[in-house]
Amino acid sequence: MHFSYDRVAGVRRVATLLLAAAGACAALPSFAQQLPNSIFPAGWDSKVRDRLFMRIGYTSVITKTRSEDARDLSGFVLSRSDISNAIDTATICTTNPSDPRVAGLNCARYDAQDGGTGITWDLFVRDRILRDGLDAEGVAGIGTPPGIRARSQKNIGTPTVSIGYWLDQERKWLLEGYVLAAPLKVNITGDGTNPSGQPNGINGKVIATTKLLPPLVIGSYNFGEANAMFRPYVGVGAMYAVFFGAKATPELERYVGGPTTITTKNTFGFGPFLGLKTAINEDWHINVSVGRIGLRAESRLVTSNTQIRSGDPVIADLTPGLSTAITEGDGILIGDGTVPASTLVNELVAFNKGQTSLGTFVREQKMKLTNTIITVSVGMDF
């Protein structure tokens, strides 16, 4: 059997963590004896301590993602009326540059250079993009393309510390809470296909990072006698996932057209757990547990100073007719000889809005995360 270097290194890391945990736990008895009796009512201190234990170990999370399509919450980035009004402005600018409605525009920049074909802003953009690109496909504007999805990083892990308390004298019922864990850094990757059936412009690219703090409580029933060497158990775990520190990557910001902030709602989930506690001696044990918890993650993305320019990857992911119309327009209808049409439309829409960009837009992305949680730990009774 062949073991890769990564797998061997991973085993060594876990072994090192378990040895470190054993060393840390060795100091617990003297610490526990120093606890003042006054922290509990008279007679409680020894009884409570006898039912307590601590575990130190490593928790791995394997995540399977089911993503919905991203959706616009604030409307189209470019609506049909935005594009139509931009065409009107360009036509005025090229036919009557002294018109006060286009004051401040460098009208020479928007003069169509069509190589003598007779194509104009009104003829090409209004007929080709609005009629053939939008109307023929039943699209009311340009926004987030269909099929834009995301998936969470598949494997993450962190050292963990938990405290357990036996609820009954026979030590059958147990409540364990994970009280300390390093925040998990999670990469979010783009996913999905465009209307042509091809991977979209963010597919396979890291589009965001976030940090996750997942407090976890497990209630379980443990089989066998309290002093048995092997004690299997079954239970239910509950997790409250706290997301923070989310950041969009340059790949995502280029795709959506501007600086983007991301916030994800904290979420609650629960699911089944099973495990095995193996006694080493009266005080020490090794624990292995596996559980599954489902979470529903809902993120909101806010993009400011939005721009859509020629060559942006989002254009290729629009409906086929619209994507083709825009690409043809960039190749035929050039302004002052240096600027493609889609960039000019972006500028004209912003001008009509009295802005330097298309504005700020809000999108929503929902994902269902099925998490398999595996923990290996060393425990010691107080």
Side-chain angles (χ1 to χ4, degrees):
M1 182 178 293
H2 173 71
F3 291 93
S4 68
Y5 174 81
D6 289 342
R7 182 175 297 179
V8 172
V11 172
R12 288 176 178 170
R13 284 196 295 269
V14 172
T16 301
L17 283 168
L18 291 177
L19 289 173
C25 287
L28 291 176
S30 60
F31 172 76
Q33 293 298 326
Q34 296 172 15
L35 290 174
N37 290 334
S38 60
I39 65 173
F40 297 115
W44 278 37
D45 190 45
S46 60
K47 293 179 181 179
V48 172
R49 183 183 292 137
D50 286 345
R51 294 189 183 184
L52 282 172
F53 65 79
M54 173 182 282
R55 289 171 177 165
I56 300 176
Y58 191 83
T59 298
S60 296
V61 182
I62 303 171
T63 301
K64 182 179 180 180
T65 305
R66 288 185 59 187
S67 173
E68 297 182 11
D69 287 3
R71 65 188 188 98
D72 294 311
L73 298 182
S74 53
F76 293 110
V77 176
L78 287 170
S79 67
R80 189 187 192 285
S81 61
D82 287 336
I83 299 171
S84 181
N85 292 338
I87 297 167
D88 293 339
T89 300
T91 302
I92 294 170
C93 207
T94 55
T95 57
N96 187 15
S98 61
D99 192 304
R101 289 174 292 179
V102 294
L105 275 178
N106 176 14
C107 287
R109 180 177 175 83
Y110 304 97
D111 187 19
Q113 302 293 319
D114 57 23
T117 62
I119 295 177
T120 65
W121 276 95
D122 193 67
L123 175 62
F124 183 85
V125 181
R126 195 181 303 278
D127 288 355
R128 186 69 178 93
I129 294 182
L130 293 187
R131 184 190 66 194
D132 300 337
L134 292 176
D135 299 344
E137 298 196 17
V139 180
I142 299 174
T144 301
I148 297 298
R149 300 184 177 184
R151 64 177 182 269
S152 178
Q153 185 174 337
K154 187 175 181 180
N155 296 293
I156 52 178
T158 183
T160 51
V161 177
S162 66
I163 297 291
Y165 181 75
W166 296 102
L167 300 176
D168 61 325
Q169 190 64 36
E170 292 75 23
R171 299 197 175 195
K172 296 287 189 181
W173 295 95
L174 173 64
L175 191 64
E176 181 180 10
Y178 286 74
V179 296
L180 182 63
L184 299 166
K185 182 179 178 181
V186 184
N187 290 331
I188 307 299
T189 304
D191 200 7
T193 57
N194 60 30
S196 298
Q198 300 299 314
N200 58 41
I202 60 170
N203 190 301
K205 299 175 181 177
V206 176
I207 57 175
T209 60
T210 188
K211 293 180 180 179
L212 168 65
L213 195 60
L216 173 65
V217 175
I218 302 172
S220 63
Y221 178 81
N222 293 251
F223 300 94
E225 299 299 323
N227 60 354
M229 183 174 183
F230 299 105
R231 297 196 70 188
Y233 61 86
V234 294
V236 175
M239 175 186 289
Y240 185 73
V242 179
F243 297 92
F244 64 99
K247 295 181 179 179
T249 65
E251 289 284 358
L252 177 63
E253 293 187 332
R254 180 169 181 259
Y255 189 84
V256 298
T260 300
T261 60
I262 303 174
T263 55
T264 301
K265 291 183 179 179
N266 298 337
T267 184
F268 172 81
F270 62 92
F273 274 74
L274 58 85
L276 178 66
K277 173 180 175 286
T278 302
I280 300 174
N281 55 38
E282 290 184 356
D283 297 322
W284 291 79
H285 66 267
I286 294 175
N287 176 72
V288 178
S289 68
V290 179
R292 176 167 290 185
I293 290 181
L295 299 171
R296 293 186 178 274
E298 182 177 317
S299 300
R300 183 158 293 191
L301 296 80
V302 180
T303 302
S304 58
N305 299 319
T306 305
Q307 310 279 355
I308 297 180
R309 299 186 176 94
S310 175
D312 284 352
V314 69
I315 293 175
D317 292 335
L318 301 173
T319 57
L322 182 57
S323 177
T324 299
I326 293 173
T327 303
E328 289 181 357
D330 283 344
I332 298 175
L333 193 68
I334 307 300
D336 64 359
T338 62
V339 188
S342 56
T343 300
L344 298 177
V345 170
N346 177 96
E347 295 174 358
L348 291 166
V349 171
F351 173 81
N352 287 340
K353 292 182 175 182
Q355 303 171 167
T356 58
S357 70
L358 300 177
T360 298
F361 298 90
V362 183
R363 300 171 178 88
E364 182 181 70
Q365 180 75 67
K366 293 182 178 181
M367 296 185 292
K368 181 179 179 181
L369 308 174
T370 302
N371 304 286
T372 300
I373 302 167
I374 304 170
T375 298
V376 178
S377 57
V378 172
M380 196 209 72
D381 294 339
F382 281 96

